[in-house]
Amino acid sequence: AIEKTFLMVKPDGVERQVIGDIVDRFERRGFVMRGAKLMVPTRDLAEKHYAEHAERPFFGELVDFITSGPVFGMVWEGENVIQLSRIMMGATKPEESAPGTIRGDYAVTLSHNVIHGSDSLASAEREIGLWFPEGIAE
Ligand code: CMP
């Protein structure tokens, strides 16, 4: 099915100037960008985004990191984009992210892993609403 997902270049990816490469990968695959913004997330937004990790010991660090500088939040649309974009991102653990994937090409640590992508239809809808409350172009 045609879906929308929320993808975000994290502060480490913005600092390393890989937004262009990441956008290019999704464009080449045939997905369409429907929304994008460069912003420093507020703590409130970051805590809501990562609410499912609120009880984890690394939650504070995670929120500190994601609010430490600009992130590039995007909405992408296409056939099966939620699952396919996660395959393109690669696994969270650096020892499991294959070369050729975004994390496999750029990331060597668990926390500074360049990109976030929604993991299900429910999280995609929730995250798009959270990051783009003003809505997106149709
Ligand atoms: P992501 O899957 O985008 O969302 C949750 C993030 O938590 C995950 O990426 C990692 O960057 C981060 N994370 C997971 N486990 C740890 C950990 N043990 N220490 C620090 N960060 C972590």
Side-chain angles (χ1 to χ4, degrees), residues 17-28 102 105-106:
Q17 305 202 121
V18 296
I19 291 173
D21 174 69
I22 289 172
V23 168
D24 188 47
R25 289 173 186 237
F26 291 103
E27 286 187 339
R28 279 191 276 142
I102 295 166
D105 288 346
Y106 289 124

Short mmCIF file of all heavy atoms in Angstrom, two decimals, residues 17-28 102 105-106:
data_model
loop_
_atom_site.label_atom_id
_atom_site.label_comp_id
_atom_site.label_asym_id
_atom_site.label_seq_id
_atom_site.Cartn_x
_atom_site.Cartn_y
_atom_site.Cartn_z
N GLN A 17 26.80 16.74 7.48
CA GLN A 17 26.39 17.18 6.15
C GLN A 17 26.05 16.01 5.21
O GLN A 17 26.48 15.98 4.05
CB GLN A 17 27.45 18.12 5.53
CG GLN A 17 27.73 19.31 6.45
CD GLN A 17 28.31 20.50 5.74
OE1 GLN A 17 27.73 21.58 5.76
NE2 GLN A 17 29.44 20.31 5.10
N VAL A 18 25.26 15.08 5.75
CA VAL A 18 24.83 13.95 4.92
C VAL A 18 23.33 14.00 4.58
O VAL A 18 22.78 13.03 4.06
CB VAL A 18 25.21 12.59 5.55
CG1 VAL A 18 26.72 12.47 5.64
CG2 VAL A 18 24.58 12.39 6.92
N ILE A 19 22.69 15.17 4.85
CA ILE A 19 21.27 15.30 4.48
C ILE A 19 21.10 15.04 2.98
O ILE A 19 20.20 14.30 2.57
CB ILE A 19 20.73 16.72 4.81
CG1 ILE A 19 20.65 16.94 6.32
CG2 ILE A 19 19.35 16.93 4.18
CD1 ILE A 19 20.27 18.37 6.70
N GLY A 20 21.97 15.64 2.17
CA GLY A 20 21.84 15.50 0.71
C GLY A 20 21.93 14.06 0.27
O GLY A 20 21.12 13.59 -0.53
N ASP A 21 22.88 13.33 0.79
CA ASP A 21 23.02 11.92 0.42
C ASP A 21 21.80 11.12 0.83
O ASP A 21 21.33 10.26 0.09
CB ASP A 21 24.27 11.31 1.06
CG ASP A 21 24.32 9.81 0.79
OD1 ASP A 21 24.52 9.43 -0.38
OD2 ASP A 21 24.09 9.03 1.73
N ILE A 22 21.29 11.41 2.02
CA ILE A 22 20.14 10.65 2.53
C ILE A 22 18.90 10.94 1.68
O ILE A 22 18.20 10.02 1.25
CB ILE A 22 19.93 10.94 4.03
CG1 ILE A 22 21.08 10.28 4.82
CG2 ILE A 22 18.56 10.45 4.50
CD1 ILE A 22 21.13 10.64 6.29
N VAL A 23 18.65 12.21 1.39
CA VAL A 23 17.51 12.56 0.52
C VAL A 23 17.68 11.88 -0.84
O VAL A 23 16.73 11.30 -1.38
CB VAL A 23 17.41 14.10 0.37
CG1 VAL A 23 16.44 14.48 -0.75
CG2 VAL A 23 16.98 14.74 1.69
N ASP A 24 18.88 11.91 -1.38
CA ASP A 24 19.15 11.30 -2.68
C ASP A 24 18.82 9.81 -2.69
O ASP A 24 18.23 9.29 -3.64
CB ASP A 24 20.63 11.53 -3.02
CG ASP A 24 20.99 11.11 -4.43
OD1 ASP A 24 20.23 11.48 -5.35
OD2 ASP A 24 21.99 10.40 -4.62
N ARG A 25 19.17 9.11 -1.61
CA ARG A 25 18.90 7.67 -1.56
C ARG A 25 17.41 7.39 -1.66
O ARG A 25 16.98 6.48 -2.38
CB ARG A 25 19.43 7.07 -0.25
CG ARG A 25 20.94 7.02 -0.17
CD ARG A 25 21.36 6.57 1.22
NE ARG A 25 22.80 6.62 1.38
CZ ARG A 25 23.55 5.58 1.73
NH1 ARG A 25 23.02 4.39 1.96
NH2 ARG A 25 24.86 5.72 1.86
N PHE A 26 16.60 8.16 -0.93
CA PHE A 26 15.15 7.93 -0.95
C PHE A 26 14.54 8.37 -2.28
O PHE A 26 13.63 7.72 -2.81
CB PHE A 26 14.48 8.58 0.26
CG PHE A 26 14.83 7.88 1.55
CD1 PHE A 26 15.76 8.43 2.42
CD2 PHE A 26 14.28 6.65 1.86
CE1 PHE A 26 16.13 7.77 3.59
CE2 PHE A 26 14.64 5.98 3.03
CZ PHE A 26 15.57 6.53 3.89
N GLU A 27 15.05 9.45 -2.86
CA GLU A 27 14.56 9.87 -4.19
C GLU A 27 14.88 8.81 -5.24
O GLU A 27 14.04 8.48 -6.08
CB GLU A 27 15.18 11.22 -4.59
CG GLU A 27 14.58 12.38 -3.83
CD GLU A 27 15.07 13.73 -4.32
OE1 GLU A 27 16.14 13.79 -4.97
OE2 GLU A 27 14.39 14.73 -4.06
N ARG A 28 16.10 8.30 -5.21
CA ARG A 28 16.50 7.29 -6.20
C ARG A 28 15.66 6.04 -6.09
O ARG A 28 15.38 5.36 -7.08
CB ARG A 28 17.99 6.94 -6.03
CG ARG A 28 18.91 7.95 -6.66
CD ARG A 28 20.34 7.42 -6.70
NE ARG A 28 21.03 7.66 -5.44
CZ ARG A 28 21.88 6.81 -4.87
NH1 ARG A 28 22.15 5.64 -5.43
NH2 ARG A 28 22.46 7.11 -3.73
N ILE A 102 22.25 3.17 5.30
CA ILE A 102 22.66 4.50 5.78
C ILE A 102 23.51 4.36 7.05
O ILE A 102 24.61 4.91 7.13
CB ILE A 102 21.42 5.38 6.01
CG1 ILE A 102 20.73 5.65 4.67
CG2 ILE A 102 21.80 6.69 6.70
CD1 ILE A 102 19.33 6.23 4.76
N ASP A 105 26.82 2.69 6.44
CA ASP A 105 27.80 3.52 5.76
C ASP A 105 28.33 4.65 6.64
O ASP A 105 29.41 5.18 6.38
CB ASP A 105 27.20 4.14 4.49
CG ASP A 105 27.02 3.11 3.38
OD1 ASP A 105 27.59 2.01 3.47
OD2 ASP A 105 26.30 3.42 2.41
N TYR A 106 27.55 5.06 7.66
CA TYR A 106 27.91 6.27 8.40
C TYR A 106 28.08 6.13 9.91
O TYR A 106 28.63 7.03 10.54
CB TYR A 106 26.84 7.36 8.18
CG TYR A 106 26.83 7.95 6.79
CD1 TYR A 106 25.68 7.93 6.02
CD2 TYR A 106 27.97 8.54 6.26
CE1 TYR A 106 25.65 8.49 4.75
CE2 TYR A 106 27.95 9.09 4.99
CZ TYR A 106 26.80 9.07 4.24
OH TYR A 106 26.78 9.61 2.99
#
